[in-house]
Structure formats: C-alpha cells, structure tokens
Amino acid sequence: MSTYTPKNILITGAAGFIASHVANRLVRTYPDYKIVVLDKLDYCSNLKNLNPSRSSPNFKFVKGDIGSADLVNYLLITENIDTIMHFAAQTHVDNSFGNSFEFTKNNIYGTHVLLEACKVTRQIRRFIHVSTDEVYGETEEDAVVGNHEASQLLPTNPYSATKAGAEMLVMAYGRSYGLPVITTRGNNVYGTNQFPEKLIPKFILLAMRGEPLPIHGDGSNVRSYLYCEDVAEAFEVVLHKGEVGHVYNIGTKKERRVIDVARDVCKLFNRDPEASIKFVENRPFNDQRYFLDDEKLKGLGWAERTTWEEGLKKTMEWYTSNPEWWGDVSGALLPHPRMLMMPGGTERVVDVPENVQSDSPHAAVNPSQFRKVVSAPKSNGSANKPSFKFLIYGKTGWIGGLLGQICEKQGIQYEYGKGRMEDRAQIVADIQKIKPTHVFNAAGVTGRPNVDWCESHRAETIRTNVAGTLTLADVCRESGILMINFATGCIFEYDDAHPEGSGIGFKEEDTPNFTGSFYSKTKAMVEELLKEFDNVCTLRVRMPISSDLNNPRNFVTKISRYDKVVNIPNSMTILDELLPISIEMAKRNLKGIWNFTNPGVVSHNEVLELYKEYINPEFKWKNFTLEEQARVIVAPRSNNELDTSKLKKEFPELLSIKESLIKYVFAPNKKV
C-alpha cells in the first residue's frame, strides 16, 4: 500500500465541527505539514474550535469564502498548496427545506470554484472531497448489508441533493482533467464543539436547561453515530493511504433510533424520558435509515475506537463545562430551526488568532490585530455583545500586569479591581460596577524580595493569601462567577513516592507535603479550603519565567544574578505560553485544580547553559548544595515535579519545558 505525504494542506470549513477536529489533529501530529484553514465564519463556525492550533507555527487561518475564485486561486499559489481537504458546506437538513438556494450556492458552486482553481494551478496532488451518507438515500429497513461505495446515489432532500451534485463535479474533474480526487461519505458525527442545531448537542443543551427534547415524527428513524475523534482519525488515514479516484465510506454498523438517543441523554441527566420527550411535526421527508458498508476503509487500517456510551458521556461533559461556547443558541434549539439560514444579520465580535489573514488576496491582517468583526445572524433584532469581560486583581503584580496585556491583544474587555480583597464590601462594589463574566485573582504575597519576607510578616501574608483569596472566591460564588486563581506548586517536595529524576510527578489530587516556608503553608491552606467552592479554577504556578529577562521576578533573571545556585530539576511555568492558556481556560469555564507548568522538568544548570548559549557566552556560575544554600536563606525552598497530564490532555499543543524555554524565552532574546 503506497503512502502519500502532503506538504501544504488547505482545509476548507475548518472553523466548523468535523474539520476543526481534523485540522487540530494534523497540526498537532504533523509539525512538518503546513495547515492553511479557509472559513467564512458562518453561523455554525467558531474560531474557538481552532484554539488548540492557534499558537502553532505550522497553522494559518484565512477568513474568506470558497465561492471567491480570486481568493482561492491566490491561496493555492501563494501558500503552494498541494493538498485540499474540502469540508466547507451547509449541512443541516432542516435548513435546506427552508433555504435550499443557499445550499446550492455553497455546496455546488463553492466546490466548482475549488475544482476550477485546482485545474488552473495544476499543483494539487490530492483533492479530498467530504460528502455524506445521505447521498445514498434511504436504506431499506430489513437490509443487512449497508450501502457500499459503488451503490447508486438517490438523495431525498435538498441538502443531500447538493452534496450528490458536488460529487458529480468532483468525479467529472477527476476524469476530464486528471485531478487526483478522493471522496468520503460519512455517517452522523457527534462530539465536542458541534453547533447545537444537530440532534445530540441540541438534546444535551435542552436537557441542561430542563426543557423538553423534541423528536421529529415518532422517533423510529435509525441513524449511525461516530465520535468526532474517530472521524478525525479516519480522515488522517484517507489522507495518507487513500487511493486516487476512490470513494471511502466512514461509518459504523452500530445503529440507534432517534428516540433511543433521547432516552440515553435523559439517562445521563437523570431525567424521566416519558416526561422529557416531546414529539413534534416531522420533516417534509425524513429518511428512515442510513446504513453503510465500512469495510473498504477498515482495509486501510482504520477502526472505530470510541464506544457510544463513552463518546456520549464525553460530549455531555464538554457541553456542561462550556455552555456559552456558541453564545445565544435559542434559535438553534427550536424543533425546526430554519431561520438561522436567512441572509444578513448583525455583527458579533470573535477572537482571531495571531496568524489570521483577511479575505482580501492582497493584504494580510496585522498579527497584532486580534479582533475581527464578522457577520452573524440576527437574534431577536438585537446585536450580540462581546462574550467576555474580565475583572483582574493584582494590577501591580507581574502576572496581573501580563494578563492585562494579553486581554489588550485579544480584544477582551477587562478592568482591574480597585477594592482590597480582604474587604468584602469593596469586592462586592467592584463586581456590581464592572459586571464581569470572569474574575482573575493574580494578587498575593510572595515576599519582598523573596519568600523569606513572609517568615517575619505572617499576619500580612495571611491577610492576602488566605483571607483575601477566600473572600474573593465567596463573593464570586454568590454572584455566579468563575474565579481563576493563580496559586503555587511550591507546596510539594520530592519524596519516596516521587523521587527526583523519576519522572513521577505530583498530581492535582495529591496532598501537599512541603511546609518548609510560611508562604507555602498559607498557599496549601487556602488551596484546601478552595476545594469547597465549585466556582474556582486553581492554577499551580512554579518558578515563573517570561521572555522579559530584565524583570527581577523572572526565575532566569534571578539565578543569572546569583553567585551560586543549586542544581535540582524542577517543574516551571513559561508565562508567555501558559498565561494565554489561562485566558482560554476561563473561556472554557474549566474548574478545579490544575498543575499549571510546562510538561517535564529542567534543572538550574540546564537553564543557565541555555542562557550561556543564547545570551552571554562568557557567563559562568558555581553550584552549591542544599545544605550550603540553607545557610544563606531563612526558609527552605520547594523542589518538585508536577504531573501535567491533565493540562496536556486539555491543551495538546502545550510544549515541554525545554522546548518552551527555547521558543518563548531564549530564541527571542538571542544575542550570540
């Protein structure tokens, strides 16, 4: 079996549901591939779906329409595109009954523009066209063998008809012009980030709101469902192993009636199905069953991995953690949400990644321009407001100041708190005046110039680190606001279960074992108490480092000025990479305790070796032991490794500590 290796991939519609999972997977797995994303940011697209890729050097987002021939030709040439994965389409069947011309324009004309650009530029080595199982039409109820790739196409609704029409164009360009085309036809896909006009996210959001779950007709219609990550893997396999000129079904033989899906969702939310399910008017035509033969794709090595129960639970957990991901979706939750397709609309503000290009083929957006206004559907005649407003405590602190700078770059509204955190009335006044969506606590006493100060200023340390933090958390709880709390990982020290150099780190649920300094005692104390608050996200920071090597609080700056240093591997936090992630964690409404460091450990000597390599080749230093260090400090210091697997799972693009040090700290400051 031959294997294809692309270089520069254009993915259309990748701010949408399925394509965003594919794009993020390819960006993460294949750093040598350049991934260019083209999306016009329609109502069912969201740039937040691409957050895992936004900081990656091999990723670029372009806002634009596949119907623009000038733009498509320009991109293929200037980005040297050799591979296209064409996902962009209008896909919701309900909408196609109410606004079918929009489906013809996007699904057929848009595909035709892409194909013509490929013909003209003559540089495309793979064109993967993403179609649907609905082009086969309805499968007989008693059929035991699913539709195979050579089955006749018999679409039954305007959506599937436009997808079948697009397939015919793809096939024609393959035969007439030798375009290396591959077509996929997939079952229903579900999972995280899906716009809630589709069945499963709609049911989940309605269940979260305590509202009825509407079922078209009697609910006996049968569908097959694949989890989004399994589908992303399928496209990865097709990209590398698919044969030109072939069609591949992406499916599963595990079928479910719509009414059974509703019952499973009710079960997850402990709701009575009989009281929760509401039968509504059926579609003009509703295929009873789609059934695919998926053996051909399995022959390439792909297999479904996620069980229905596991996938549904993951999806439910994501939507309950991210209820505001799509903003106001009340129109999408209607039984027949056709009005979402009407043209025109108001404006909404979206966060745009650094590597964003406009839809003009002549001018790229300035990388510092993090906000971009795009069209969005009307919602009851009023414009949607910007989604977030942050209240930040710790204006004069290092992290608090950097948070404000990030908000400025990303175009997020923010204000600094004026009240003293231990004064409840002042905190309440701040929140009532500013009306934030989230509160960031970056205030705290770490000592002047270091934690030794806390040993002789215990009352002041308690007042801020304990009383102030708990007061702020409680006021936020009463106001229904999530608080992002910057804590410390200096509450652990290497022990027999977590020996130095073993790679076994302390996990979020582990009990702190370091009480050497009063500072660490207060931080461990307040972390334990904050577990009683369900509105707090605690981020354990360690030995923070930034690209500002003139900042005396920077760990690199500190040790480069010491006469002697110990040499012990530790977990550390690269603020340039992790503080933007803290903003994203707020947007995702993540809660609980998180080890907020880069994966892995780095020793003092390794940091200084990099300093010598990149900054000052004449730099020299000496080491001393912990015993020798103890003679010149008041309080012992914490040394440990934190397990970051939880954070890495949520943000797969997170770099290891050594990679991050080079990328964000030393390379930008290189003087050698």
Side-chain angles (χ1 to χ4, degrees):
M1 183 186 301
S2 61
T3 300
Y4 171 68
T5 302
K7 292 182 179 179
N8 304 310
I9 306 173
L10 175 67
I11 304 181
T12 68
F17 170 47
I18 301 174
S20 65
H21 284 280
V22 174
N24 290 332
R25 184 184 187 92
L26 294 178
V27 169
R28 178 178 71 244
T29 310
Y30 303 96
D32 292 337
Y33 297 178
K34 180 170 73 174
I35 309 298
V36 180
V37 164
L38 175 62
D39 198 298
K40 69 177 183 178
L41 297 179
D42 208 345
Y43 74 97
C44 55
S45 299
N46 193 328
L47 273 174
K48 291 189 289 187
N49 292 345
L50 293 165
N51 278 343
S53 301
R54 63 188 300 173
S55 62
S56 300
N58 62 329
F59 170 82
K60 181 176 185 177
F61 178 86
V62 179
K63 179 182 178 293
D65 193 331
I66 59 171
S68 170
D70 287 345
L71 172 62
V72 172
N73 279 279
Y74 174 81
L75 283 178
L76 296 191
I77 294 169
T78 58
E79 301 296 340
N80 198 25
I81 299 298
D82 58 31
T83 303
I84 293 178
M85 302 182 77
H86 176 36
F87 289 85
Q90 298 290 350
T91 64
H92 193 46
V93 175
D94 275 344
N95 290 338
S96 76
F97 289 119
N99 198 354
S100 56
F101 286 109
E102 195 72 17
F103 280 68
T104 301
K105 175 184 173 184
N106 283 277
N107 298 355
I108 295 181
Y109 179 74
T111 301
H112 199 168
V113 169
L114 281 174
L115 291 167
E116 190 65 16
C118 294
K119 183 191 81 171
V120 171
T121 57
R122 298 182 179 181
Q123 64 191 50
I124 300 302
R125 298 167 58 212
R126 286 290 188 281
F127 185 102
I128 298 175
H129 176 69
V130 181
S131 191
T132 171
D133 60 354
E134 296 195 34
V135 297
Y136 293 121
E138 193 172 50
T139 307
E140 294 181 3
E141 291 186 52
D142 58 352
V144 294
V145 178
N147 285 303
H148 54 80
E149 287 80 358
S151 296
Q152 186 177 5
L153 304 190
L154 296 168
T156 58
N157 59 63
Y159 158 62
S160 58
T162 61
K163 294 298 287 184
E167 278 199 36
M168 296 300 102
L169 280 170
V170 171
M171 184 188 304
Y173 270 72
R175 291 180 177 176
S176 296
Y177 305 110
L179 194 66
V181 299
I182 298 173
T183 297
T184 66
R185 298 173 184 149
N187 277 150
N188 287 26
V189 184
Y190 71 100
T192 62
N193 304 356
Q194 189 173 27
F195 188 73
E197 65 185 358
K198 296 300 175 82
L199 184 78
I200 291 173
K202 175 183 286 191
F203 280 176
I204 289 173
L205 286 181
L206 288 171
M208 287 167 57
R209 299 178 179 200
E211 297 179 21
L213 277 54
I215 290 181
H216 297 162
D218 61 5
S220 64
N221 304 77
V222 175
R223 298 291 185 266
S224 301
Y225 298 93
L226 280 169
Y227 187 63
C228 54
E229 288 300 331
D230 290 346
V231 174
E233 184 180 357
F235 280 103
E236 180 184 8
V237 170
V238 170
L239 171 65
H240 294 105
K241 298 181 180 179
E243 291 189 52
V244 169
H246 284 238
V247 177
Y248 294 93
N249 287 336
I250 302 176
T252 174
K253 293 185 172 64
K254 300 166 187 173
E255 299 178 288
R256 278 171 181 76
R257 297 183 304 165
V258 171
I259 193 168
D260 293 328
V261 173
R263 287 168 176 162
D264 287 345
V265 172
C266 288
K267 183 178 179 181
L268 281 176
F269 286 90
N270 296 315
R271 293 185 61 182
D272 177 13
E274 300 303 319
S276 302
I277 293 173
K278 176 184 177 182
F279 296 98
V280 300
E281 180 185 358
N282 209 344
R283 292 170 173 170
F285 188 87
N286 198 350
D287 292 315
Q288 185 64 27
R289 183 191 187 202
Y290 303 122
F291 189 40
L292 293 182
D293 183 324
D294 59 352
E295 292 304 313
K296 185 174 179 180
L297 181 58
K298 287 181 178 177
L300 298 184
W302 177 81
E304 180 183 5
R305 299 179 187 275
T306 308
T307 66
W308 166 253
E309 293 75 18
E310 179 187 359
L312 190 63
K313 185 173 184 292
K314 284 182 179 179
T315 306
M316 180 270 288
E317 290 172 347
W318 186 88
Y319 280 96
T320 54
S321 298
N322 299 276
E324 302 301 323
W325 190 261
W326 290 100
D328 180 11
V329 293
S330 53
L333 299 182
L334 297 173
H336 299 281
R338 299 177 193 173
M339 291 306 293
L340 288 172
M341 285 303 304
M342 295 304 291
T346 59
E347 294 182 331
R348 62 186 171 99
V349 177
V350 298
D351 293 329
V352 180
E354 291 184 45
N355 39 2
V356 168
Q357 182 170 307
S358 74
D359 51 5
S360 164
H362 306 296
V365 173
N366 186 320
S368 64
Q369 183 181 344
F370 276 79
R371 295 179 69 178
K372 190 176 184 72
V373 179
V374 298
S375 64
K378 289 183 178 178
S379 176
N380 300 323
S382 62
N384 292 322
K385 303 290 184 182
S387 300
F388 305 106
K389 188 173 185 180
F390 295 161
L391 171 59
I392 303 172
Y393 286 91
K395 179 179 181 180
T396 60
W398 185 20
I399 290 178
L402 290 174
L403 287 171
Q405 293 175 25
I406 295 170
C407 288
E408 290 281 355
K409 279 189 174 182
Q410 295 191 12
I412 299 172
Q413 295 186 74
Y414 75 99
E415 290 190 38
Y416 285 108
K418 296 181 179 178
R420 298 190 66 82
M421 288 185 4
E422 63 270 21
D423 188 321
R424 189 180 188 89
Q426 291 182 16
I427 298 299
V428 170
D430 277 350
I431 288 178
Q432 289 178 345
K433 177 184 177 183
I434 297 170
K435 296 180 174 57
T437 59
H438 300 77
V439 171
F440 284 75
N441 177 27
V445 171
T446 57
R448 309 170 191 134
N450 54 48
V451 296
D452 289 343
W453 180 90
C454 300
E455 301 299 317
S456 56
H457 296 79
R458 299 195 172 199
E460 296 96 320
T461 304
I462 292 172
R463 188 181 303 128
T464 301
N465 291 0
V466 182
T469 300
L470 293 175
T471 300
L472 182 60
D474 193 44
V475 173
C476 289
R477 181 187 59 81
E478 289 187 346
S479 304
I481 297 172
L482 176 67
M483 181 179 92
I484 306 295
N485 182 54
F486 287 92
T488 181
C490 295
I491 53 178
F492 298 100
E493 62 180 343
Y494 289 118
D495 59 15
D496 291 341
H498 310 82
E500 178 184 329
S502 66
I504 302 173
F506 290 91
K507 296 184 177 181
E508 283 80 0
E509 61 269 22
D510 287 337
T511 302
N513 66 347
F514 178 72
T515 57
S517 71
F518 190 72
Y519 163 77
S520 293
K521 284 182 183 178
T522 62
K523 298 300 262 187
M525 181 191 309
V526 78
E527 182 181 290
E528 181 65 27
L529 294 171
L530 285 175
K531 291 179 181 178
E532 304 304 319
F533 293 79
D534 61 2
N535 64 310
V536 175
C537 178
T538 294
L539 307 180
R540 291 174 176 164
V541 176
R542 288 213 72 229
M543 296 180 170
I545 298 171
S546 83
S547 56
D548 180 7
L549 295 183
N550 293 316
N551 193 314
R553 303 176 191 180
N554 192 329
F555 176 75
V556 175
T557 308
K558 284 182 180 180
I559 64 172
S560 68
R561 295 177 181 177
Y562 291 160
D563 293 329
K564 294 181 179 180
V565 298
V566 294
N567 183 36
I568 301 175
N570 272 282
S571 289
M572 301 184 190
T573 302
I574 307 301
L575 297 178
D576 300 68
E577 181 175 18
L578 281 160
L579 285 188
I581 286 178
S582 73
I583 299 286
E584 178 58 29
M585 294 176 81
K587 293 178 180 180
R588 298 185 188 184
N589 289 315
L590 299 179
K591 302 173 184 177
I593 298 172
W594 297 76
N595 289 335
F596 203 59
T597 63
N598 291 85
V601 293
V602 64
S603 70
H604 296 63
N605 280 5
E606 288 174 314
V607 172
L608 292 177
E609 287 286 357
L610 289 171
Y611 184 87
K612 182 175 181 178
E613 178 183 350
Y614 283 84
I615 309 300
N616 181 6
E618 305 302 320
F619 182 77
K620 297 179 180 180
W621 71 95
K622 295 181 180 179
N623 290 130
F624 64 169
T625 65
L626 286 174
E627 292 74 19
E628 290 172 320
Q629 182 193 47
R631 299 191 191 111
V632 297
I633 59 176
V634 176
R637 303 296 195 257
S638 160
N639 294 289
N640 65 59
E641 178 176 355
L642 298 182
D643 185 317
T644 56
S645 54
K646 178 180 176 182
L647 187 66
K648 181 73 173 176
K649 183 178 180 181
E650 185 71 25
F651 298 94
E653 71 277 15
L654 181 63
L655 297 178
S656 71
I657 181 60
K658 294 176 184 176
E659 292 174 320
S660 193
L661 266 171
I662 293 171
K663 178 177 179 178
Y664 291 101
V665 180
F666 289 114
N669 286 290
K670 187 173 183 179
K671 296 180 181 178
V672 178

